[in-house]
């Protein structure tokens, strides 16, 4: 048996990320005694370096390495860049939040970086085992991050729920993986696809495998009926961590969905399409209806996130490259919007006041008109009202399902969009029309956060006026 | 473009950018804010005048066209142009805007820059709606309008403003999303979002019916037609005066415009199939809502219901085409109905705007809109009484005012289509006169009702100027509507050909 040394070049960003993060882990123990923020700055620097590496080695064609278990392509590279940019934003917001809530620790950032590594691996995984590895690297980091506030009962409960249900979901996924392997004899996505296409497989086992995989994916995405953990975890976790779970992790979950279903199991499109239709319809309805009664903004964003997942799945249902591109565009837009939304909460949170109740936003226009305007941008973008970019995200996915012949689904989706407009409007309503209980001016905890929130929110408007380049980028990547 | 100058873009972006600027610069500088807003609206109006003077009335083609690729992936374009159907509406918008800004001069004292900014942004968006020739661009303007209006009603409105503004937003949003799905379906069929391509495309009968219904929901909510009109009285009663003026004078016209720009030319066969539905709903609006207006105790509510009733003339005038063609065998006869509908839109813009401004003047002084709180106002405010009676007469459709022209043309067309339609439509001359004149009698005539009325002050110079301008417009259009008919003639003729040519 001769050992072939694989090409490491395509995986350079991951390798560098792993190395630097490991070094940082050690360095953190020394640094944290001298300079409080060294780890934070090192984290941002590492992300910059990794982002630069991805950008300079941007691949327009598909490159496989490590015996076909790792792939580099435009789809993955774009998602990685988004992950890097979004993570930098998350860490920026988190730093202030951790300081305010007095549990600033270097581990948060090292764990976060490991999470990013997991996401990178998921995005680039080209066989079931690599995918599983990536998923676990990310999940373990997230479990630990949720549990970081040892003194907070809610956070511990959330961590427990997240861990147990997450493990269950992974179990389902693995079970599905094993069935697919059993039926096809391969774990590699392109080989699986070929073998299924050849027709020499046991269809019953395959179908069961698909069902389990879709259940596992739905868990990870937080789609109905496997969404129960989402509101509790979002609500219970420290907001900085919610920010992380609700944004960057969603990109990785989307990548996983795409790699497994589209690249690995295109031959079973009939089976998974009907499952996804069901999940998507349920997510749209639950996301719109249950959100109506939420009084807590974090829970509201969690439930509305379920609805947004329903929209992302609409693009997958179309089952063609344009549909996947639309779903990718929606995911990116949603993640940016959610970053702004959770970022707003983080920016306003104070010691002993999480600022996450809708009632906290009462009379915001009187207390800080600029931030009220930014929040208005965020809410209307979430609701999908032009000229904000959220509108185009909805248009492209709806356009793809119409094109795929699911006009009824498009009508359902727009009706749900109208219902969900109500609760986004409610937030705008309390900001602009209600009298504040406390009329002192509210300021973000730091100037830096003020800029960051404003930047992301204005980006929603600018992208909305000129959505062309981002749309084209997504459409050309597949 | 006019001599290479992007006149339509200027009309859209000048007020929007001005509005954004004032949002940031105008904090605590109320005088500057007001003068800035007024100057921008005057300049915008001046810029819009060449649309009329340079307009080529001999063609139904789009004029002043601007076309740039916007979202190339979906072939979405920044595509603007006007024809005889949209140009008068653009001028109506730029004209009304000056009065809207002026009307709020002394009334708004809280966050003036947000108020003026919202109205300026709204103006740009409304012009955008009328000149967009790309479906998605149209939709963006159409929907974006909801945001500033939502804020204006909710922030500066009356007691139940929050309920009213959310109802307004959700009703109109609900209506329009179906239009979006219809656009996407047509894009999928034709490969383009251009409205002119939509006009030219072939559609099967089922597709046409579904698209027609989607459009009907969207535009019926906006017009508004019975039974989806209920948001309008709420929104009007709660909105500040300028908000009511913009709603009644311009936003309602967007619904009527939608019918002529989309429903009739894109789905002619479905329009023919389902014209009875629109006609029936319009007749209910004209007759039943007219009766509802009669029993109102609140002046604003009365005028709001009267608006719905008058907009019924617009929708019926547009959809009489098929019956007339069937009866007379030529589309020439239906010309008068369609042109009547278009003139009614413009005239209603002036009259309803004037009526709401009038109520605004009273409300500023007395802080009530209850009819019963007034009486004998003409004794203390003679000039105001003069204008009020003039506008009331116009609202009732007195010959010599603009209200007469449109209504009369539509009633004539109704008789051509079906005697019963004509009789029901003509009943508005009685009902409309009844509720308007009765209100005028109770509010303006008789003895001075109480001390509050006794101490009223007549119009100041600013209010006088606003009223006089509108009075001039109403009378001018009433005695000499020919220029307006002339600019829309070719486009209406073309529209009627499109509306009666089967696509099957």
């Amino acid at each position: 048996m001769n050992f072939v040394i694989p090409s490491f070049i395509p995986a350079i960003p991951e390798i560098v990320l792993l190395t630097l993060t490991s070094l940082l882990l050690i360095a953190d123990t020394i640094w944290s005694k001298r300079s409080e923020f060294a780890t934070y700055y090192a984290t941002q620097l590492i992300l910059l370096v990794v982002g630069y590496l991805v950008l300079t080695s941007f691949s327009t064609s598909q490159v496989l390495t490590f015996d076909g278990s790792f792939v580099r392509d435009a789809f993955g590279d774009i998602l990685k860049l988004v992950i890097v940019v979004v993570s930098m934003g998350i860490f920026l917001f988190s730093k202030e939040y951790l300081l305010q809530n007095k549990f600033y620790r270097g581990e948060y950032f090292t764990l976060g970086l490991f999470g990013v590594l997991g996401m990178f691996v998921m995005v680039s995984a080209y066989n079931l085992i690599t995918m599983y590895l990536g998923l676990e690297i990310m999940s373990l980091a997230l479990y630990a991050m949720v549990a970081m506030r040892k003194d907070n009962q809610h956070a511990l409960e959330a961590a427990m729920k997240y861990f147990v249900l997450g493990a269950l979901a992974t179990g389902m996924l693995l079970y599905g993986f094993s069935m697919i392997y059993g039926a096809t004899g391969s774990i590699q996505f392109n080989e699986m696809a070929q073998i299924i296409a050849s027709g020499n497989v046991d269809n019953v086992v395959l179908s069961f495998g698909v069902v389990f995989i879709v259940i596992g994916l739905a868990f990870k995405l937080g789609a109905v009926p496997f969404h129960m953990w989402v509101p509790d975890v979002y609500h219970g976790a420290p907001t900085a961590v919610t920010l992380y779970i609700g944004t960057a992790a969603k990109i990785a979950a989307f990548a996983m969905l795409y790699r497994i279903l589209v690249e690995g199991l295109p031959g079973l499109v009939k089976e998974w399409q009907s499952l996804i239709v069901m999940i998507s319809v349920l997510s749209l309805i639950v996301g719109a209806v249950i959100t109506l009664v939420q009084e807590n903004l974090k829970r509201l964003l969690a439930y509305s996130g379920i609805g947004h997942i329903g929209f992302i799945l609409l693009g997958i249902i179309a089952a063609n490259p344009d549909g996947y591109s639309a779903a990718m565009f929606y995911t990116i837009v949603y993640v940016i919007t959610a970053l702004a939304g959770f970022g707003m909460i983080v920016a306003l949170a104070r010691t002993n006041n999480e600022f996450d109740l809708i009632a906290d936003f009462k009379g915001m226009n009187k207390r800080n008109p600029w931030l009220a305007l930014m929040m208005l941008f965020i809410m209307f973008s979430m609701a999908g009202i032009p000229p904000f970019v959220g509108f185009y995200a909805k248009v492209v996915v709806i356009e793809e399902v119409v094109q795929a012949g699911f006009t009824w689904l498009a009508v359902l989706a727009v009706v749900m969009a109208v219902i969900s407009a109500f609760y986004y409007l409610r937030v705008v309503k309390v900001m602009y029309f209600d009298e504040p209980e406390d009329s002192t001016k509210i300021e973000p905890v730091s100037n830096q956060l003020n800029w960051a929130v404003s930047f992301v929110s204005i980006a929603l408007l600018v992208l909305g006026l000129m959505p062309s380049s981002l749309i084209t980028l997504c459409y050309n990547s597949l | 473009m006019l001599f290479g100058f992007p006149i339509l873009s200027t009309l859209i972006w000048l007020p929007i950018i001005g509005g954004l600027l004032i949002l940031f610069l105008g904090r605590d500088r109320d005088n500057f804010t007001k003068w800035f807003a007024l100057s921008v609206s005057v300049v915008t109006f001046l810029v819009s005048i060449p649309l009329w003077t340079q307009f080529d009335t001999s063609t139904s083609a789009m004029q002043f066209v601007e076309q740039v690729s916007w979202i190339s992936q979906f072939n979405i374009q920044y595509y603007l142009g006007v024809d005889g159907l949209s140009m008068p509406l653009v001028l109506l918008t730029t004209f009304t805007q000056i009065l809207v800004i002026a009307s709020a001069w002394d009334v708004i004292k809280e966050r003036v820059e947000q108020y003026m900014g919202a109205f300026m942004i709204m103006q740009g968006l409304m012009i955008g709606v009328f000149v967009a020739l790309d479906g998605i661009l149209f939709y963006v303007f159409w929907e974006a309008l909801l945001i500033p209006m939502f804020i204006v009603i909710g922030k500066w409105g009356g007691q139940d403003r929050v309920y009213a503004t959310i109802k307004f937003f959700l009703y109109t949003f609900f209506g329009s999303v179906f239009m979006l799905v219809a656009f996407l379906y047509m894009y999928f069929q034709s490969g383009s979002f251009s409205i002119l391509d939509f006009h030219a495309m072939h559609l099967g009968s089922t597709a046409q019916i579904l698209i027609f219904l989607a459009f009907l929901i969207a535009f019926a909510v906006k017009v508004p037609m019975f039974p989806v009109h209920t948001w309008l009285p709420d929104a009007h009663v709660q909105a500040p005066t300028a908000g009511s003026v913009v709603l009644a004078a311009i936003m309602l016209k967007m619904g009527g415009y939608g019918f002529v720009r989309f429903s009739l030319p894109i789905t002619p066969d479905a329009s023919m199939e389902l014209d009875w539905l629109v006609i029936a709903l319009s007749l209910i609006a004209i007759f039943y809502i007219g009766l509802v207006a009669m029993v109102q105790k609140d002046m604003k509510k009365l005028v709001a219901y009267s608006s719905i009733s008058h907009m019924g003339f617009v929708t019926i005038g547009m959809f009489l085409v098929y019956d007339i063609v069937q009866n007379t065998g030529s589309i020439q006869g239906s010309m008068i109905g369609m042109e009547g509908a278009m003139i009614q839109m413009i005239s209603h813009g002036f009259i309803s705007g004037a009526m709401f401004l009038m109520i605004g003047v009273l409300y500023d002084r007395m802080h009530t809109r209850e009819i019963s709180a007034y009486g004998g106002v003409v004794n203390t405010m003679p000039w105001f009484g003069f204008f009020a009676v003039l506008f009331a007469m116009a609202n009732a459709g007195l010959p010599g005012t603009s209200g007469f022209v449109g209504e009369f043309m539509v009633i004539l067309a109704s008789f051509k289509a079906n005697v019963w339609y004509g009789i029901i439509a003509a009943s508005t001359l009685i009902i409309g006169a009844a509720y308007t004149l009765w209100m005028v009698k109770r509010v303006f005539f008789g003895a001075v009702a109480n001390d509050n009325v006794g101490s009223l002050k007549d119009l100041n110079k600013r209010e006088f100027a606003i009223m006089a301008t509108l009075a001039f417009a109403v009378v001018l259009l009433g005695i000499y509507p020919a220029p307006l008919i002339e600019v829309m003639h070719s486009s209406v003729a073309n529209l009627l050909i499109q509306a009666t040519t089967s696509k099957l």
Side-chain angles (χ1 to χ4, degrees), chain A residues 121-178:
Chain A
V121 174
M122 283 167 82
V123 168
S124 271
Y126 209 59
N127 73 21
L128 295 172
I129 299 299
T130 320
M131 183 59 79
Y132 183 68
L133 270 177
L135 180 63
E136 284 306 282
I137 297 174
M138 178 184 84
S139 302
L140 286 175
L142 289 179
Y143 301 146
M145 284 164 86
V146 177
M148 261 185 76
R149 281 200 87 167
K150 282 174 293 211
D151 52 339
N152 185 319
Q153 207 55 44
H154 287 298
L156 290 182
E157 190 191 319
M160 200 63 197
K161 261 188 192 143
Y162 195 28
F163 178 68
V164 172
L165 291 172
L168 185 67
T170 333
M172 294 279 186
L173 259 182
L174 267 188
Y175 197 40
F177 285 177
S178 64

Side-chain angles (χ1 to χ4, degrees), chain A residues 93-101 103 238-240 346 349 354:
Chain A
F93 285 116
S94 304
K95 184 188 131 209
E96 303 291 337
Y97 179 85
L98 300 180
L99 275 178
Q100 277 295 318
N101 288 280
F103 69 112
T239 311
V346 168
E354 282 277 308

Side-chain angles (χ1 to χ4, degrees), chain B residues 228-504:
Chain B
V228 284
H229 64 282
T230 59
W231 63 268
L232 183 79
D234 283 323
H236 268 313
V237 170
Q238 300 302 332
T241 301
S244 297
V245 174
V246 169
L247 257 181
I250 302 159
M251 280 206 193
L252 304 191
K253 309 302 172 297
M254 287 161 51
Y257 176 71
F259 280 117
V260 290
R261 182 61 78 219
F262 295 97
S263 303
L264 287 170
I266 294 175
T267 59
D269 302 289
S271 302
M272 184 156 83
E273 193 80 11
L274 294 170
D275 64 342
W276 58 271
L277 180 64
V278 180
I279 291 174
L281 294 178
S282 309
L283 288 173
I284 293 174
I286 294 172
F287 188 77
Y288 166 71
I289 301 291
L291 292 178
V292 172
M294 218 183 289
V295 298
Q296 297 307 318
K297 296 190 177 74
D298 179 310
M299 284 190 269
K300 238 181 169 181
K301 235 180 184 160
L302 188 149
V303 180
Y305 279 111
S306 130
S307 269
I308 302 171
S309 172
H310 283 106
M311 287 304 286
F313 275 93
V314 174
T315 43
I316 197 174
M318 289 170 179
F319 279 84
L320 285 170
V321 181
Y322 303 101
D323 283 328
I324 296 178
V325 170
Q326 212 171 16
N327 289 350
T328 63
S330 84
I331 55 171
Q332 213 50 43
S334 55
M335 197 89 184
I336 191 169
M338 187 64 77
E339 285 183 346
M342 294 302 296
I343 291 174
Q344 174 76 357
M345 288 219 278
I346 302 292
S347 143
H348 180 260
F350 293 137
I351 298 173
S352 67
M355 296 289 277
F356 282 116
L357 285 168
M358 236 170 64
I359 296 167
V361 167
L362 281 179
Y363 185 77
D364 291 342
R365 288 166 170 69
M366 300 261 293
H367 296 284
T368 175
R369 286 185 292 257
E370 291 291 312
I371 295 175
S372 56
Y374 294 90
V377 171
V378 77
N379 298 310
T380 48
M381 303 176 73
W383 272 114
F384 182 57
F386 166 75
F387 286 121
V389 172
L390 174 73
F391 294 134
M393 292 295 182
N395 198 38
L398 187 82
T401 63
S402 66
F404 174 75
V405 185
E407 278 179 33
F408 182 69
M409 289 168 82
V410 173
I411 291 172
L412 273 185
S414 315
F415 274 108
K416 275 191 195 171
N418 181 319
V419 178
W420 289 106
Y421 294 173
I423 291 173
I424 300 176
S427 71
T428 195
L429 294 174
I430 302 160
I431 300 172
Y435 59 71
T436 329
L437 296 180
W438 197 31
M439 178 180 88
V440 167
K441 173 191 165 276
R442 286 184 289 170
V443 172
F444 289 93
F445 297 119
V448 172
N450 50 42
D451 292 348
N452 291 340
V453 175
S455 59
L456 284 175
K457 287 208 163 44
D458 207 352
L459 300 174
N460 60 29
K461 278 184 198 152
R462 175 180 59 87
E463 289 163 339
F464 185 88
I466 298 173
M467 293 294 166
T469 317
L470 276 168
F472 177 73
V474 166
V475 174
L476 180 71
L477 194 56
I479 50 183
Y480 190 49
L484 181 59
I485 297 179
E486 195 189 335
V487 292
M488 57 178 60
H489 201 76
S490 311
S491 298
V492 168
N494 180 49
L495 168 68
L496 288 173
I497 293 168
Q498 285 179 318
T500 49
T501 310
S502 173
K503 282 189 168 184
L504 296 178

Side-chain angles (χ1 to χ4, degrees), chain A residues 365 370 392 399 465 468 475, chain B residues 24 70 74 114 154-155 187:
Chain A
N365 184 41
W370 173 257
Y392 300 95
E399 142 81 327
L465 294 174
S468 187
Y475 274 73
Chain B
F24 298 118
W70 181 29
F74 288 96
Q114 286 189 353
K155 191 150 162 37
Y187 164 72

